[in-house]
């Protein structure tokens, strides 16, 4: 059964959840509603594996209303798999024109040719063989097996995930593979063994007509008395989708420029990240990746009128903020400490860079990365 690869403890927990659920009555209520209120769609009338297949491929990323006329034209132009297999690709693409995502049509065409040539025009009812055909993923495979062959195989897409997270008040992040696997496992255990195709289509219709992404119509829902999400008042908050934070990466070269008693520090601006904190000079690597000590010495020369005699990377540090990661390369430097370089500094540099007595560093607020550099510097010269 789909989803049987779950961890034993997770499977047991879900099993307990399902055991307390009135599955028989749920199926009965759902299928009764589907038989009376379900959508009448051309591929549902006398469904064949070929019809289900074509419709499911067309329905990927496309609305049902848009698909209906395309499906009807396509089936009258290519009424059998042999007709489709024999057609030139341009003709197939022409029939698909306007539906978009043309790789779907190409995959369908190739796969149908394979079925005609390899399987005597019989769409395989074996899940493995079916899943090996071009363009057939787990959802399409489940739809064909359940709707055309009455195999109790779930067909889980975003709509089905939404409906089931609400039915079982399942508050885990739906974007995680683990969550999807667990929901698939639940669907596989709820599916009606006698009418699996109708069950899958009923859930799809429920998701499209009643349990919609926003404002689910719980009052009109045929399975409201089975819905744990509604009972907990959580229906509209489900499913949970935790937005991934896009982390920006910045690479800095940090020269430790010091004399026997002082070290060069910079005070950050009064607003923004780490406002007004003190730090060692930080040169943002424009390439973002490559270590380049030449660029660093040129920057130090331009910025502070200091010609470095020697620089050597002593450590790499990493610090993660919520949206930002710093990769910091720290350099030990030698220079002519007798030179009074500050005289040559612009007002802007003088305003924010200062040679600070090393014994006063402990009194200054320093970001974590720079505290680590301070520790290294002190240990190095002790
Ligand atoms: Fe969806 Fe509401 Fe029905 Fe629950 S009761 S399945 S949330 S429409």
């Amino acid at each position: 059964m789909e989803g049987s690869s779950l961890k034993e403890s997770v499977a047991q927990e879900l099993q307990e959840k399902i055991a307390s659920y009135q599955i028989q009555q749920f199926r009965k209520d759902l299928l009764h509603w589907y038989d009376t209120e379900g959508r009448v769609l051309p591929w549902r009338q006398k469904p064949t594996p070929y019809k289900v297949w074509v419709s499911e491929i067309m329905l990927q990323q496309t609305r049902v209303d848009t698909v209906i006329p395309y499906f009807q034209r396509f089936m009258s132009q290519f009424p059998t798999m042999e007709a489709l297999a024999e057609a030139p690709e341009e003709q197939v693409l022409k029939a698909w024109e306007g539906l978009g995502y043309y790789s779907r049509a190409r995959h369908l065409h190739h796969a149908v040719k394979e079925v005609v040539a390899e399987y005597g025009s019989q769409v395989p009812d074996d899940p493995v063989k079916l899943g090996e055909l071009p363009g057939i993923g787990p959802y399409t495979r489940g739809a064909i097996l359940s709707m055309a062959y009455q195999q109790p195989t779930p067909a889980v897409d975003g709509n089905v995930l939404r409906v089931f997270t609400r039915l079982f008040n399942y508050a885990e992040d739906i974007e995680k593979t683990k969550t999807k696997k667990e929901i698939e496992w639940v669907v596989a255990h709820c599916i009606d063994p006698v009418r699996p195709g109708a069950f899958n289509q009923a859930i799809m219709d429920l998701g499209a007509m009643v349990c919609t992404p926003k404002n689910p119509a719980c009052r009109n829902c045929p399975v409201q008395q089975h819905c744990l999400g509604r009972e907990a008042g959580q229906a509209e908050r489900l499913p949970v989708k935790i937005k991934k934070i896009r982390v920006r990466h910045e690479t800095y070269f940090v020269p430790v420029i010091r004399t026997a008693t002082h070290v060069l520090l910079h005070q950050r601006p009064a607003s923004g990240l780490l406002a007004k904190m003190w730090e060692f000079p930080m040169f943002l690597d424009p390439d973002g990746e490559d270590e380049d000590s030449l660029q660093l010495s040129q920057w130090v020369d331009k910025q502070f009128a200091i010609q470095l005699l020697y620089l050597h990377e002593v450590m790499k540090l990493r610090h993660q903020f919520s949206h930002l990661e710093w990769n910091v390369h720290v350099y030990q430097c030698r220079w002519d400490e007798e030179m009074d370089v500050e005289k040559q500094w612009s007002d802007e540099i003088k305003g924010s860079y200062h040679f600070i007595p090393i014994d006063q560093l402990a009194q200054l607020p320093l970001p974590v990365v720079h505290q680590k550099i301070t520790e290294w510097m002190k240990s190095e010269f002790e």
Side-chain angles (χ1 to χ4, degrees), residues 163 166-167 206 210-211 216-218 221 223-224 227 230 235:
V163 173
R166 289 172 175 173
L167 282 170
L206 193 71
V210 183
C211 195
C218 299
C221 179
V223 291
Q224 57 181 276
C227 184
R230 186 193 68 87

Side-chain angles (χ1 to χ4, degrees), residues 276-305:
K276 290 176 114 174
M277 294 188 87
W278 290 81
E279 63 190 8
F280 293 87
M282 292 181 66
F283 169 56
L284 178 63
D285 176 13
D287 305 332
E289 285 173 9
D290 299 323
E291 297 166 36
D292 189 339
S293 52
L294 180 63
Q295 283 189 82
L296 176 60
S297 57
Q298 285 170 347
W299 179 73
V300 169
D301 188 4
K302 198 168 162 216
Q303 193 85 339
F304 309 115

